[in-house]
Amino acid sequence: MTGRKFFVGGNWKLNGDKKSIEELANTLNNAKLNPDAEVVCGAPSIYLDFARSKLKPNIDVAAQNCYKVAKGAFTGEISPAMIKDCGVKWVILGHSERRHVFGESDELIGQKVAHALESGLSVIACIGEKLDEREAGITEKVVFAQTKFIADNVKDWSKVVLAYEPVWAIGTGKTASPQQAQEVHDKLRQWMKANVSEAVASSVRIIYGGSVTGGTCKELASQKDVDGFLVGGASLKPEFIEIINAKA
């Protein structure tokens, strides 16, 4: 065993209302979940308080994004301080949709990571290449560059989970094969060893995201360097329980 605790994050994205969130919370609360898995649900910011109040304490909640400062004239943004005030401990940063739909730069994501960690939140930091980048053979170059902007802003790696999400596999139904996922996770660990430290490389959790389902999760979870998942669509369905229990 690696000693790395299996981690499953559910990213609800722009989905849900009070009724469906309460139903999902009841399903999760009553399910037999692997006690050796850490589970975090990423709720829309407007429902953070609500999700936190409905889920049992053994299931954590994450915001899906936050800004790089505590307060100020930034209409529509939320801060780590506000997230913490809702009893929420986690935030997802650098998700491909933030990068590619909303145009967030590596630099901004690095600044957000720094501020979230300084504020006492834990961070699920996302990296991943687009299809044309994979086809051009520059997957490593892209993910290493993204990882460097994150790593330069992290002092305490115990508060960070790295999520490798190939953009071409998100919401497309395409999943990286277990071998493709393992290969990138292994390369990321080697990069961490060379650029951060051997201790961090062996302890940091690197999770996989990209069309993970009940059907694909077990084989992916069996890979040596895949320490869990960041799940999109399937996290809104009962099969999320199967994914949480992929290593049970």
Side-chain angles (χ1 to χ4, degrees):
M1 247 325 272
T2 60
R4 297 189 295 267
K5 187 169 185 171
F6 195 66
F7 184 100
V8 180
N11 179 6
W12 297 350
K13 306 191 180 182
L14 182 57
N15 292 295
D17 51 28
K18 285 186 176 177
K19 183 173 178 285
S20 66
I21 289 169
E22 187 159 14
E23 284 167 5
L24 183 57
N26 288 337
T27 302
L28 291 171
N29 290 341
N30 294 317
K32 194 171 182 308
L33 302 181
N34 177 7
D36 296 326
E38 187 167 358
V39 182
V40 179
C41 291
S45 59
I46 199 164
Y47 296 128
L48 285 172
D49 227 341
F50 184 75
R52 181 60 284 165
S53 73
K54 295 297 176 188
L55 287 162
K56 279 184 178 171
N58 63 322
I59 300 171
D60 274 320
V61 176
Q64 297 175 13
N65 190 28
C66 67
Y67 199 50
K68 62 181 179 178
V69 294
K71 58 182 180 182
F74 303 102
T75 301
E77 290 290 339
I78 63 170
S79 71
M82 293 170 177
I83 293 166
K84 283 179 70 183
D85 196 37
C86 290
V88 171
K89 299 176 190 166
W90 286 88
V91 63
I92 301 168
L93 291 173
H95 191 279
S96 64
E97 288 151 7
R98 298 305 315 173
R99 294 175 188 272
H100 304 305
V101 181
F102 299 102
E104 294 189 7
S105 66
D106 288 342
E107 185 180 22
L108 175 61
I109 291 158
Q111 291 167 338
K112 288 181 175 192
V113 167
H115 180 61
L117 291 169
E118 280 157 15
S119 306
L121 284 181
S122 295
V123 173
I124 301 167
C126 304
I127 54 176
E129 82 284 11
K130 296 190 298 209
L131 183 60
D132 57 340
E133 293 166 337
R134 176 164 278 266
E135 287 174 345
I138 56 169
T139 293
E140 285 170 46
K141 184 180 166 201
V142 172
V143 296
F144 291 168
Q146 291 171 343
T147 305
K148 182 170 178 10
F149 275 95
I150 292 162
D152 286 349
N153 287 287
V154 176
K155 295 187 180 77
D156 180 2
W157 280 95
S158 71
K159 298 272 196 178
V160 178
V161 170
L162 208 52
Y164 168 60
E165 297 204 300
V167 182
W168 48 273
I170 296 175
T172 58
K174 285 183 187 171
T175 311
S177 69
Q179 295 71 32
Q180 285 174 314
Q182 166 58 25
E183 185 184 2
V184 178
H185 284 230
D186 176 50
K187 294 270 171 50
L188 279 165
R189 229 176 269 291
Q190 290 175 30
W191 186 92
M192 300 290 282
K193 188 174 169 181
N195 295 278
V196 183
S197 75
E198 190 161 355
V200 167
S202 64
S203 65
V204 72
R205 290 175 292 181
I206 306 175
I207 63 175
Y208 171 76
S211 300
V212 178
T213 64
T216 58
C217 63
K218 274 198 159 40
E219 201 186 345
L220 282 160
S222 70
Q223 303 300 310
K224 179 165 79 78
D225 290 293
V226 175
D227 301 314
F229 304 114
L230 186 55
V231 185
S235 70
L236 297 160
K237 301 174 191 157
E239 75 177 301
F240 189 44
I241 292 155
E242 278 179 70
I243 298 169
I244 293 167
N245 293 336
K247 278 192 101 112

